[in-house]
Amino acid sequence: MRKIVFILLTFLFLYSCSDGNDLGKDDGDDSGNGNNSSSVKISLKAKAQEANIHTMMEFYLVPGEDCTMLDIMESYDSLVWRIEGEKGRLNLLSHAPGWMSFTSRWGHCFYEESHGNVILEGFKDGKVVLSDSVKIDVYNKRDFLGYNWKDITSSTPRTGIANILKPELEISFIERYIDGLPSLYVYFEPAWEVGRDEKLSKIFYTQKQETLIRNYISKLYGDPKFSFEKDADKLVESYHKIFKQEEDAYIPRYVWETKTTNIALVSKYVDWGDYQAYYIYAEPRSN
């Protein structure tokens, strides 16, 4: 079983009782901006509002002064966090008689650039009674995904990142540093629920994985320079010329070149699963 270290913060916190202190409640008029005047105020904050793709951004909630957990549960049936223009949402608060779940701090790694708002919404009786947002900018400015080649100075175990709104796909990395050359293996794997189902797992690897990886890298870095469809006669030879530490067990399928990086989508036969698995292998581009 593969072991991946996920960067995901989900801390629960508690507030001390305020003995009836209502300083956390808004007694003013309803301004019509989605905030209910009888609800506890909760603000959405970001530790940093700019980041590179594949780098964790940390978000957290700031409740009104001296409010209690009971105040929050009485004010909202649920609290959700989402990204403007994207599907999916993170449930931060849910409760019922006898139980509750409340997340006040969490991390999220964006797979692609994003320039817009992340949004907090509070619901009561099926209506939005709280709305707050933070403007964020996520760029693709590093040498490759979340890495600058100069920062890879040793080989590391496999680690992963967490995109909490796309739990169906896990992306993880192995950093290598051999004879002064940094390189990366990037893995695109199905979520645990799919991976542990033999039938669904085989469908993912045989029908979805290669196309998913190709489309993702092409969206970030443009069309491949070489592909097995167009360049079958010279693809393998070009691959061995371009990459310094490529492995013979891997079969090249696509090759991209950027200003800083050589990228290859490669396949390898998995005998225990009887299918081809696909990966990304990347090295810095020589000047």
Side-chain angles (χ1 to χ4, degrees):
M1 182 183 299
R2 67 179 188 275
K3 185 176 181 182
I4 302 176
V5 179
F6 287 100
I7 309 170
L8 176 60
L9 300 178
T10 52
F11 296 112
L12 300 181
F13 72 167
L14 298 176
Y15 297 97
S16 60
C17 295
S18 62
D19 295 326
N21 191 332
D22 289 329
L23 293 177
K25 295 185 179 181
D26 179 9
D27 294 324
D29 295 332
D30 188 348
S31 63
N33 62 357
N35 292 311
N36 189 324
S37 61
S38 64
S39 298
V40 170
K41 287 184 177 179
I42 301 179
S43 299
L44 174 65
K45 303 292 182 182
K47 188 173 182 180
Q49 291 180 243
E50 293 187 3
N52 199 81
I53 61 171
H54 288 228
T55 302
M56 188 187 72
M57 298 188 75
E58 186 177 333
F59 302 95
Y60 59 98
L61 302 181
V62 179
E65 184 179 357
D66 290 338
C67 76
T68 68
M69 202 63 243
L70 179 60
D71 291 329
I72 295 175
M73 289 192 294
E74 288 180 344
S75 297
Y76 307 104
D77 296 327
S78 64
L79 293 169
V80 300
W81 176 80
R82 63 183 178 86
I83 300 169
E84 189 175 36
E86 292 192 17
K87 295 181 180 180
R89 64 184 190 173
L90 173 66
N91 293 321
L92 301 173
L93 170 69
S94 55
H95 59 92
W99 72 273
M100 65 153 296
S101 173
F102 184 36
T103 301
S104 67
R105 188 178 295 267
W106 64 100
H108 179 76
C109 296
F110 287 78
Y111 288 169
E112 299 174 6
E113 289 197 44
S114 181
H115 305 281
N117 293 317
V118 292
I119 298 169
L120 170 70
E121 291 178 328
F123 293 85
K124 183 71 174 179
D125 298 326
K127 298 180 180 179
V128 177
V129 296
L130 169 73
S131 181
D132 194 18
S133 63
V134 175
K135 176 70 167 61
I136 55 134
D137 287 291
V138 181
Y139 301 96
N140 181 23
K141 290 184 176 180
R142 296 186 181 175
D143 290 337
F144 181 57
L145 300 179
Y147 291 86
N148 286 319
W149 292 116
K150 65 181 179 61
D151 297 328
I152 299 179
T153 58
S154 63
S155 298
T156 65
R158 185 167 171 176
T159 59
I161 62 174
N163 181 309
I164 55 180
L165 299 187
K166 297 183 186 295
E168 71 279 2
L169 177 66
E170 298 175 356
I171 300 180
S172 57
F173 306 84
I174 291 180
E175 301 172 37
R176 295 200 318 179
Y177 191 78
I178 300 174
D179 297 331
L181 177 68
S183 61
L184 279 171
Y185 281 100
V186 189
Y187 302 86
F188 297 74
E189 305 287 0
W192 171 246
E193 291 77 9
V194 173
R196 66 181 180 177
D197 184 298
E198 183 177 352
K199 182 178 180 180
L200 293 177
S201 179
K202 190 163 186 176
I203 290 173
F204 176 87
Y205 287 110
T206 59
Q207 301 180 23
K208 299 180 179 181
Q209 190 185 39
E210 182 181 26
T211 300
L212 183 154
I213 297 172
R214 183 195 65 215
N215 291 344
Y216 178 70
I217 297 299
S218 293
K219 187 172 183 178
L220 292 176
Y221 300 107
D223 294 332
K225 183 175 181 178
F226 300 104
S227 69
F228 75 93
E229 297 101 334
K230 297 179 180 179
D231 310 290
D233 56 335
K234 59 181 179 180
L235 177 60
V236 174
E237 180 182 357
S238 299
Y239 171 72
H240 287 294
K241 286 182 178 179
I242 293 171
F243 293 89
K244 296 180 174 63
Q245 295 199 19
E246 88 291 338
E247 297 185 26
D248 291 336
Y250 291 89
I251 301 171
R253 304 282 287 175
Y254 300 91
V255 173
W256 292 260
E257 289 185 357
T258 74
K259 292 181 179 180
T260 62
T261 306
N262 293 318
I263 308 162
L265 194 166
V266 298
S267 68
K268 183 179 181 180
Y269 179 71
V270 179
D271 52 2
W272 58 265
D274 190 26
Y275 58 79
Q276 293 288 128
Y278 298 89
Y279 314 88
I280 287 292
Y281 177 66
E283 292 179 355
R285 188 173 179 182
S286 302
N287 295 327

